[in-house]
Amino acid sequence: MNNELYVNVAAFIDYENDLLDAKQYDEWLTLWQDDGHYVVPIDTSDENYSNRLNYAYDDADMRRMRVARLLSGESVSVESNGGTIRLTSRLRVNQADDVVEARCALLITESRLGVMKQYVANVEYKLVPNGDSFAIQQKVVKLINAEDYLRTISYIL
């Protein structure tokens, strides 16, 4: 394993998590390739995301609309969302040609209306080297309870 690549990918994912926890959504948008997709599938065993029902299957326009809704204060999830903390672990990194594939576990703790809730997911990234960092080509958040009833999760996972 390339240790430098591993450290750079871990730092990038930590940076993305920090942006999301700090609600710096406009800056988060700059991490993406224009043709990238943000996916939160309902069926985590099927990787044909474009032809399936998903909680999110966002291209660049949908990501911008999601961020605009979150920043407007009109989203129910923003009104009652006191905050989130994201933690990642067991990062795996693999270089495949011009794309870096990464997989990690994600734990999100959310405070909403004085109640703490946790979401756990496996996250898969396809990252394209971009100068001394990366651009996200695809991010797939596979919630372990994706087929269960989920409360409002319209903030970015």
Side-chain angles (χ1 to χ4, degrees):
M1 174 183 13
N2 180 332
N3 285 337
E4 183 179 353
L5 179 63
Y6 179 90
V7 168
N8 291 341
V9 169
F12 180 82
I13 292 172
D14 284 347
Y15 179 64
E16 182 202 17
N17 285 336
D18 185 62
L19 290 176
L20 292 172
D21 286 340
K23 300 178 184 176
Q24 294 176 322
Y25 303 122
D26 284 330
E27 194 167 341
W28 176 77
L29 288 173
T30 69
L31 301 180
W32 287 84
Q33 281 193 287
D34 288 339
D35 63 348
H37 282 94
Y38 165 65
V39 185
V40 183
I42 292 173
D43 181 353
T44 59
S45 66
D46 187 349
E47 295 188 5
N48 187 4
Y49 308 118
S50 64
N51 292 319
R52 298 289 183 251
L53 182 62
N54 300 288
Y55 291 111
Y57 185 77
D58 294 0
D59 60 11
D61 289 336
M62 289 300 294
R63 285 190 307 273
R64 283 191 292 275
M65 285 190 284
R66 183 178 301 278
V67 165
R69 200 170 48 250
L70 290 169
L71 292 174
S72 73
E74 296 175 9
S75 172
V76 172
S77 64
V78 171
E79 286 178 13
S80 59
N81 184 2
T84 56
I85 302 253
R86 291 165 176 78
L87 300 172
T88 55
S89 68
R90 69 159 170 70
L91 176 64
R92 300 282 305 253
V93 177
N94 181 45
Q95 178 102 35
D97 297 322
D98 295 335
V99 175
V100 175
E101 296 176 348
R103 186 177 72 228
C104 62
L106 172 68
L107 171 65
I108 299 175
T109 301
E110 165 199 38
S111 172
R112 182 187 303 270
L113 300 173
V115 176
M116 299 290 268
K117 175 93 174 154
Q118 292 187 325
Y119 295 97
V120 180
N122 288 301
V123 183
E124 299 171 355
Y125 288 89
K126 289 186 180 175
L127 305 171
V128 176
N130 183 19
D132 61 351
S133 187
F134 301 95
I136 303 171
Q137 183 180 73
Q138 180 171 278
K139 177 181 179 183
V140 181
V141 180
K142 295 182 174 183
L143 294 162
I144 63 167
N145 63 333
E147 293 183 5
D148 295 346
Y149 169 77
L150 299 176
R151 298 182 328 157
T152 302
I153 56 166
S154 58
Y155 59 85
I156 299 165
L157 297 169

